[in-house]
Amino acid sequence: MRDILYPPVIGLAKTAFKVLDLKFQLTGTEHVPRSGGAVLALNHISYVDFVIGGFGAQPSKRLVRFMAKEVLFRNRYSGPLMRGMHHIPVDRGAGAGSYREALRYLKEGEIVGVFPEATISRSFELKEFKSGTIRMAAAAGVPVIPMVLWGTQRMMTKDHPRDFSRHQRVSITVGEPITVTRADDATEATEHLHKTMSGLLDTTIRDYHEQPPGAWWLPASYGGGAPTPEEAERLDQEELRRRAERPKN
């Protein structure tokens, strides 16, 4: 796939990382294959996870085609960038087309990035996974590469002001490829992926340079002030209800 826009965007992002003096802890990035199709499965804790997740594939010199909300492709600012970098728009009301496009990319040897939780986790722990990640990989005959991000929530996430102050730390942990086939039970394979990424997330949090008690960006189960998964679910439902009540244009 010909990429004119993606490389300079990566260059700008790397420049921004240097200006912000972001401190990266990269672990297991050798598991991102240097060639061939793969589904990159990431946890979702921040609005900048697309950028940071793509950076985690850079040691293997790979570009990631992310599946993202269709509204981003209609935005006057982000739309040209998303289309130019060949990301995949997801219309939740008509997801079959997005699925077919992702399969085509995978069979052409691309890496497709997905967030199995489908939305940002307010608790910063893993939410329930959708099975589409596993089904897609099985249908395309490619592995699933689990990736965990940590620290990105401190920069830009739900319910908190943006903070792009300098010297922040971000961890990227990549697990070993997971092979799935059409013969595998999608529910069981999804549970296995969830368990694998939960383990990676636990290790990544514990290895992070700080865990201040009560910190808003630290999960409640680690002594932080983030909502519990149950509280986060209630907040998610309230958000959905507010969206539904908005007048349609």
Side-chain angles (χ1 to χ4, degrees), residues 94-141:
S98 304
Y99 183 81
R100 288 193 299 269
E101 185 77 349
L103 284 182
R104 181 175 70 83
Y105 278 25
L106 291 169
K107 291 177 180 179
E108 291 177 354
E110 299 284 346
I111 293 182
V112 173
V114 299
F115 297 96
E117 298 163 279
T119 186
I120 288 175
S121 169
R122 284 182 159 97
S123 72
F124 308 128
E125 298 188 56
L126 295 184
K127 296 166 63 72
E128 181 180 350
F129 280 10
K130 309 296 183 184
S131 63
T133 301
I134 293 296
R135 296 180 189 278
M136 188 188 308

Side-chain angles (χ1 to χ4, degrees), residues 62-108:
R62 298 301 301 274
L63 301 179
V64 182
R65 318 297 178 177
F66 281 99
M67 300 187 75
K69 294 179 181 179
E70 189 268 340
V71 66
L72 294 174
F73 293 78
R74 289 188 281 110
N75 182 279
R76 63 184 297 186
Y77 301 109
S78 63
L81 291 174
M82 298 298 283
R83 292 189 296 271
M85 291 187 286
H86 304 293
H87 294 312
I88 304 168
V90 177
D91 184 345
R92 292 181 180 176
S98 304
Y99 183 81
R100 288 193 299 269
E101 185 77 349
L103 284 182
R104 181 175 70 83
Y105 278 25
L106 291 169
K107 291 177 180 179
E108 291 177 354

